[in-house]
Amino acid sequence: MTSSRSQNELPLSVYDLTVAYQRKPVLWDVGFEVPPGSLVGVVGPNGAGKSTLLKAVLELLPKVSGQIRFFGGSYAENRHRVGYVPQRESVDWDFPIDALDVVTMGLYRQIGWFRRVNRAHRDRAMAALEQVGIADLAHRQISQLSGGQQQRTFLARALVQGADLYLMDEPFAAVDAATELAVLAVLREMKAAGKTAMVIHHDLQTVPHYFDYVLLLNMRVVAFGPTSEVFTTENLQKTYGGRLTLLEEATHAMRERGRQR
Amino acid sequence: MTFNACPLLEAASLFKQGWSPEWFCSWLGLPDELWRVLSLRDYNTRVVVFGTALLGAAAGVIGSFALLRKRALLGDALSHAMLPGIAVAYLISVLLGQEGKSLPLLLLGATLSGLLGTCCVLGIRQWTKLKEDAALSIVLSVFFGAGVALLGIVQQTTRGHAAGLESFIFGKASALAVEDAWVIFGGGLCCVLLVILFFKEWKLLCFDETFAASSGWPVLGLDWLMMLLIVLISVIGLQAVGLVLMIALLVIPPAAARFWTDQLRTMVWLAGALGCVSSFGGAIVSALLPRLPSGAMIVLFAGAMFLLSFLLGTRRGILFQAWQSWRLQQRVQRQHLLRAMFELSELQAAGAASSVGQPAPVSRERLQGMRSWSKRQLATEINRAVTAGLVIPLSSDQLRLTAAGQQMASKLVHQHRLWELYLITHAEQAPSKVDRDADQMEHVLTPEMIARLERLLNASQQGGSVPSSPHPILPPPETERIGGEQA
């Protein structure tokens, strides 16, 4: 019963969200509705407020105004159905723990206050590491992991939560080809399982291949919708302005997509 | 110290006569006083020393989290900010007409003013664009300055001079009363228990605050609880260590522990143990020589621990690392030599097809051409391999692998070629997995993968125990023809 209900309700809907640092606005009246089972790419220039959007949605930053619903309820009610993958650079990788420890952290909320991590939890964490293809590195100190492996560790930490909606901040940033493929495979598995993911992405060329919805953001929502309709040169121009190299890349991507059809 | 002509005999006689510690001390020429302190026979000394030791342990344990949360300097500002509180509390107690100093009131004053200092730091950081280090310096110096000024006023009052408030600055464990030691004991125990309770939560908070907040942990509350424990430890440590050096007890043991381990749990308890030993040592020395402030002694002990860990630590100690990289270098050099000899004799066997069982001899000159090693390097390496029984010199120029050397070399070459083939066939994922240490192959790759690589290699193999190299072996000049054929 719950599963049929969860398929109809929107995993994430944002209305009139405004966020400001001090008095400088970062996001203006941002609104969109993420359909269930979709992979949404969030693109926009540096400083467009992409990370801020994710953080504000997760109530990590105070918002000036706006309404945010997760599965039709508040974030506090549906936190257990939401997984977050922060930027890799947001933590100190010199911390004295191993990869398995990091992944287990995804279960801490389920484990609850003061309880110990037990074998069953570690097994689940191991399975998540397996899913991202680095189970053999489970006991390696995290500073000895490569950038891509660290990214996969973060992804595994979110996966182990078994959430229905995932918010990811640049999981494809500065990773090796193998990691890119592994992350993509995980995204596709999620989609196949009816889960939803909203992913901040920087590589315009791959947007049409990776995501079926796209949110073009530059302090405000320039466009949001199915990639095939919204990811156009015109919209990209509105998003990125006169940054020619980026536009050329995008046009190239458009042409590629045209050829594939 | 003069020793007996025959110390061994004397030592042996110890067991016969049933030795007593006092006797041992006097035999070593140490004063009885030392033994009296070391044996902790004195109830007072015992309580003070154990109280201080537990303080050190608790400080090391909570300090680990403070260090990982990058709050070390905040702890420093906090303890310095306690001084004005102490002075004000004393003045108030004088105004209230109390005789002498009332410790609970002084500690309360210290706590409040320490917390006020912390709030100032957080406030400055929150509402101005100043960076944390500036905020910390401002608060630390202003509060400490105010404290020193207030102490000056205290000194002017009639009994103020005798109050001994200065001992709060540098610590004086010998001035601890038994009740004070019990306070330290209770506070330290409380701190250690809370760390055990909140271990998982603080681990997450220190590693990834954002993730902790997003999954619904009350980050602010956990942070404040940690801060409160640091305040608690600093307050109860005031008398033994003093506010100037309290930060050392919070930071040095965890920093030293980090040299030995990559596991948080081990680090926390090791930091506790190091803090405990430092405090114990400092308190003992200070009990022996009451003129030495115990805070300084404790810090010196902790510093010695740090130096030791910095040099010898099995994870990050510099000597340990140097030794490891030296060993790696030796191993790689040996592998180079064995592989070069094996591949050369393989080439010669292919050319002559004569030798049965024994590997063909190899000349130094041709070995020299196999790699970019200097004559001296090669000679040293050969000598080492000869000593290890892997290579026999046949003449001044000719060398041959021994049976053991041959076995080792063939295994090395085999693994090396499997890795190379893996790099070629699985170029995409290989770079993150290939491990130079050939022994590790089974740990990194699945058995199926190794079996598949073996089959691939065997396909190109003409016989013998070692499959041929997937790329032409760099041949010495005169065997160019053979190398060319093989490719």
Side-chain angles (χ1 to χ4, degrees), chain B residues 212-457:
Chain B
S214 81
S215 47
W217 293 100
V219 167
L220 208 64
L222 285 171
D223 228 0
W224 267 104
L225 186 66
M226 191 189 290
M227 222 45 232
L228 278 178
L229 274 195
I230 295 173
V231 173
L232 175 74
I233 286 296
S234 305
V235 166
I236 63 174
L238 268 182
Q239 286 172 289
V241 187
L243 52 85
V244 173
L245 296 174
M246 192 58 217
I247 189 62
L249 207 48
L250 283 167
V251 170
I252 298 179
R258 189 69 181 86
F259 285 108
W260 298 95
T261 177
D262 277 335
Q263 285 290 322
L264 180 63
R265 192 169 293 275
T266 321
M267 174 181 158
V268 168
W269 300 126
L270 185 60
L274 290 177
C276 182
V277 172
S278 313
S279 305
F280 188 84
I284 293 262
V285 171
S286 174
L288 274 176
L289 309 162
R291 275 169 174 279
L292 292 178
S294 53
M297 288 300 107
I298 290 173
V299 170
L300 286 179
F301 266 90
M305 301 273 174
F306 180 83
L307 186 66
L308 217 65
S309 308
F310 169 71
L311 292 175
L312 304 174
T314 50
R315 284 288 157 190
R316 307 184 154 199
I318 53 163
L319 284 185
F320 185 80
Q321 278 182 348
W323 180 67
Q324 278 207 322
S325 74
W326 181 79
R327 282 227 338 213
L328 177 73
Q329 212 182 337
Q330 299 278 300
R331 207 163 58 227
V332 169
Q333 295 283 6
R334 154 113 6 126
Q335 290 178 0
H336 282 336
L337 177 72
L338 292 180
R339 277 208 348 254
M341 286 188 69
F342 185 89
E343 287 175 345
L344 262 185
S345 67
E346 195 180 44
L347 280 178
Q348 273 166 4
S354 61
S355 62
V356 184
Q358 274 197 341
V362 174
S363 79
R364 277 175 195 256
E365 197 189 327
R366 291 176 66 188
L367 262 180
Q368 186 76 54
M370 289 292 283
R371 298 194 71 86
S372 61
W373 39 32
S374 74
K375 262 204 159 71
R376 249 189 62 196
Q377 265 178 331
L378 180 61
T380 320
E381 210 38 60
I382 289 174
N383 284 342
R384 279 186 51 232
V386 170
T387 320
L390 300 171
V391 170
I392 321 175
L394 297 177
S395 66
S396 65
D397 184 49
Q398 296 285 303
L399 303 161
R400 201 178 61 208
L401 287 166
T402 64
Q406 173 76 3
Q407 198 188 359
M408 196 190 260
S410 95
K411 192 176 152 227
L412 278 174
V413 171
H414 181 80
Q415 297 262 24
H416 183 78
R417 289 181 185 168
L418 281 179
W419 274 126
E420 280 183 334
L421 193 70
Y422 179 67
L423 267 175
I424 294 167
T425 54
H426 296 79
E428 214 156 57
Q429 41 179 304
S432 65
K433 298 224 173 185
V434 169
D435 199 319
R436 279 238 36 161
D437 239 346
D439 303 343
Q440 297 278 312
M441 192 163 201
E442 297 82 355
H443 298 187
V444 182
L445 297 184
T446 58
E448 301 89 69
M449 174 63 82
I450 293 177
R452 205 158 78 222
L453 289 173
E454 300 263 14
R455 274 201 303 282
L456 268 172
L457 272 187

Side-chain angles (χ1 to χ4, degrees), chain B residues 65-82:
Chain B
F65 287 99
L67 187 73
L68 290 170
R69 188 95 179 92
K70 310 202 163 46
R71 288 285 156 80
L73 279 174
L74 189 58
D76 196 24
L78 188 155
S79 51
H80 276 77
M82 287 176 172

Side-chain angles (χ1 to χ4, degrees), chain A residues 85-103:
Chain A
V85 182
Q87 269 183 34
R88 179 159 55 86
E89 292 82 22
S90 65
V91 303
D92 175 9
W93 288 93
D94 206 30
F95 203 81
I97 46 177
D98 60 29
L100 190 67
D101 268 328
V102 175
V103 179

Side-chain angles (χ1 to χ4, degrees), chain B residues 19-240:
Chain B
W19 74 297
S20 74
E22 288 90 346
W23 182 86
F24 188 67
C25 257
S26 64
W27 177 69
L28 281 175
L30 296 175
D32 286 346
E33 171 71 10
L34 178 63
W35 175 246
R36 209 178 52 76
V37 172
L38 279 181
S39 64
L40 304 172
R41 197 178 314 154
D42 204 348
Y43 177 70
N44 227 33
T45 322
R46 204 183 326 165
V47 173
V48 167
V49 166
F50 277 117
T52 317
L54 188 73
L55 170 76
V61 166
I62 188 69
S64 301
F65 287 99
L67 187 73
L68 290 170
R69 188 95 179 92
K70 310 202 163 46
R71 288 285 156 80
L73 279 174
L74 189 58
D76 196 24
L78 188 155
S79 51
H80 276 77
M82 287 176 172
L83 190 55
I86 294 168
V88 168
Y90 180 78
L91 289 174
I92 289 176
S93 74
V94 169
L95 279 182
L96 291 177
Q98 283 204 351
E99 288 290 316
K101 57 175 185 176
S102 134
L103 192 64
L105 197 62
L106 292 181
L107 294 188
L108 181 70
T111 310
L112 290 180
S113 111
L115 283 176
L116 183 68
T118 315
C119 288
C120 288
V121 172
L122 298 178
I124 292 176
R125 211 179 45 183
Q126 183 87 35
W127 288 302
T128 72
K129 295 213 160 171
L130 284 175
K131 294 283 175 285
E132 175 142 7
D133 56 344
L136 286 168
S137 318
I138 293 167
V139 169
L140 187 151
S141 48
V142 169
F143 271 73
F144 193 66
V148 172
L150 284 168
L151 268 192
I153 296 174
V154 169
Q155 306 271 344
Q156 310 264 310
T157 64
T158 39
R159 291 184 312 268
H161 200 65
L165 292 193
E166 309 81 52
S167 70
F168 285 112
I169 300 181
F170 292 118
K172 198 167 185 194
S174 51
L176 281 184
V178 172
E179 309 83 81
D180 305 343
W182 281 114
V183 171
I184 292 181
F185 196 79
L189 203 64
C190 170
C191 175
V192 171
L193 288 178
L194 278 172
V195 167
I196 293 174
L197 203 59
F198 285 95
F199 196 91
K200 172 171 108 266
E201 286 76 11
W202 278 338
K203 178 174 170 181
L204 177 59
L205 175 73
C206 292
F207 176 61
D208 193 346
E209 184 187 354
T210 327
F211 184 79
S214 81
S215 47
W217 293 100
V219 167
L220 208 64
L222 285 171
D223 228 0
W224 267 104
L225 186 66
M226 191 189 290
M227 222 45 232
L228 278 178
L229 274 195
I230 295 173
V231 173
L232 175 74
I233 286 296
S234 305
V235 166
I236 63 174
L238 268 182
Q239 286 172 289

Side-chain angles (χ1 to χ4, degrees), chain A residues 88-252:
Chain A
R88 179 159 55 86
E89 292 82 22
S90 65
V91 303
D92 175 9
W93 288 93
D94 206 30
F95 203 81
I97 46 177
D98 60 29
L100 190 67
D101 268 328
V102 175
V103 179
T104 318
M105 286 178 180
L107 292 168
Y108 280 9
R109 202 60 239 196
Q110 289 173 33
I111 296 169
W113 285 98
F114 312 135
R115 302 252 196 79
R116 306 271 121 183
V117 176
N118 64 30
R119 201 194 169 79
H121 299 131
R122 271 193 287 273
D123 287 348
R124 281 173 65 189
M126 204 65 181
L129 275 174
E130 193 94 49
Q131 199 181 343
V132 298
I134 52 166
D136 47 338
L137 304 175
H139 295 292
R140 198 173 276 196
Q141 206 268 320
I142 52 173
S143 65
Q144 288 159 12
L145 298 173
S146 72
Q149 289 160 350
Q150 291 174 348
Q151 189 63 62
R152 291 199 232 180
T153 309
F154 260 15
L155 187 60
R157 181 176 67 174
L159 286 177
V160 79
Q161 288 175 270
D164 295 318
L165 168 69
Y166 287 93
L167 302 175
M168 307 185 186
D169 201 340
E170 302 249 20
F172 293 106
V175 297
D176 51 295
T179 299
E180 179 135 7
L181 286 177
V183 175
L184 189 61
V186 166
L187 282 179
R188 302 230 156 112
E189 277 169 39
M190 282 179 183
K191 187 176 159 61
K195 301 186 174 197
T196 314
M198 188 160 159
V199 181
I200 294 181
H201 197 58
H202 59 284
D203 180 15
L204 291 177
Q205 295 205 32
T206 49
V207 168
H209 308 299
Y210 290 3
F211 302 107
D212 37 28
Y213 278 76
V214 67
L215 174 68
L216 294 165
L217 189 75
N218 193 354
M219 294 178 79
R220 62 196 182 88
V221 175
V222 175
F224 174 71
T227 314
S228 53
E229 295 167 21
V230 175
F231 198 65
T232 61
T233 319
E234 197 196 341
N235 279 337
L236 282 170
Q237 178 125 36
K238 281 190 208 157
T239 316
Y240 286 89
R243 294 174 207 208
L244 284 172
T245 46
L246 276 170
L247 274 183
E248 272 165 26
E249 254 178 51
T251 331
H252 179 71

